[in-house]
Amino acid sequence: MINFEEKMKRLTKVNGYLGSAILNYTGETLYIENSQTGTDIAFAATIFNDAFRTINETTLDIGFSEASSLETRTQDGHVFLVKSAGEEHGNEFAKIDIFCIFRDDGNIALAKMIVDKTAKAISDELARI
């Protein structure tokens, strides 16, 4: 079994981190970490994932490839969802999405780098299961 907490440890230490979730291909929550916020992250992640799917359909309709991430920036924070590289495996069950919430003064660039690497690592591990 995948130790999601261990995989996400680096992300939780990034400046400005508030919470995160890992969702499988169908949008089901596999992992939640919300120790720094009172927000219902599972609900927020599911809503964000649903919006992401709609936007992804639109990018395909206009002839672009699949969307790889969705980010919302506000005056006081960033919310983003990054799709894993699971499609490289040709296995829908290896695809995951990582949902994150950060304060506006957080290190967003570092967070995105960590999320990209973490999503790939988790997808690779899921493909082997």
Side-chain angles (χ1 to χ4, degrees):
M1 191 64 186
I2 297 174
N3 184 342
F4 292 114
E5 188 172 337
E6 182 64 31
K7 297 278 187 201
M8 298 292 282
K9 188 185 294 186
R10 286 182 63 207
L11 181 66
T12 64
K13 295 178 181 179
V14 174
N15 182 40
Y17 173 86
L18 293 175
S20 62
I22 298 175
L23 303 133
N24 69 10
Y25 178 72
T26 63
E28 180 181 11
T29 305
L30 303 175
Y31 167 85
I32 298 172
E33 199 297 308
N34 64 348
S35 62
Q36 298 184 44
T37 179
T39 304
D40 184 351
I41 290 186
F43 181 73
T46 302
I47 297 299
F48 216 78
N49 190 56
D50 193 45
F52 178 80
R53 285 177 172 248
T54 300
I55 289 168
N56 189 51
E57 287 175 21
T58 303
T59 62
L60 293 171
D61 286 346
I62 61 173
F64 290 157
S65 60
E66 288 189 341
S68 60
S69 66
L70 175 63
E71 179 178 1
T72 301
R73 296 187 312 179
T74 69
Q75 287 183 339
D76 45 4
H78 294 255
V79 180
F80 55 93
L81 184 138
V82 175
K83 181 178 174 182
S84 74
E87 60 272 358
E88 291 176 7
H89 302 293
N91 178 354
E92 297 296 329
F93 297 106
K95 293 181 183 180
I96 60 149
D97 294 336
I98 296 182
F99 173 82
C100 303
I101 302 172
F102 278 81
R103 289 188 322 264
D104 67 326
D105 64 346
N107 191 341
I108 305 305
L110 177 59
K112 287 179 182 179
M113 289 170 47
I114 290 171
V115 166
D116 284 340
K117 288 179 181 182
T118 302
K120 173 109 175 73
I122 292 171
S123 286
D124 288 346
E125 199 166 328
L126 280 171
R128 290 190 298 267
I129 294 176

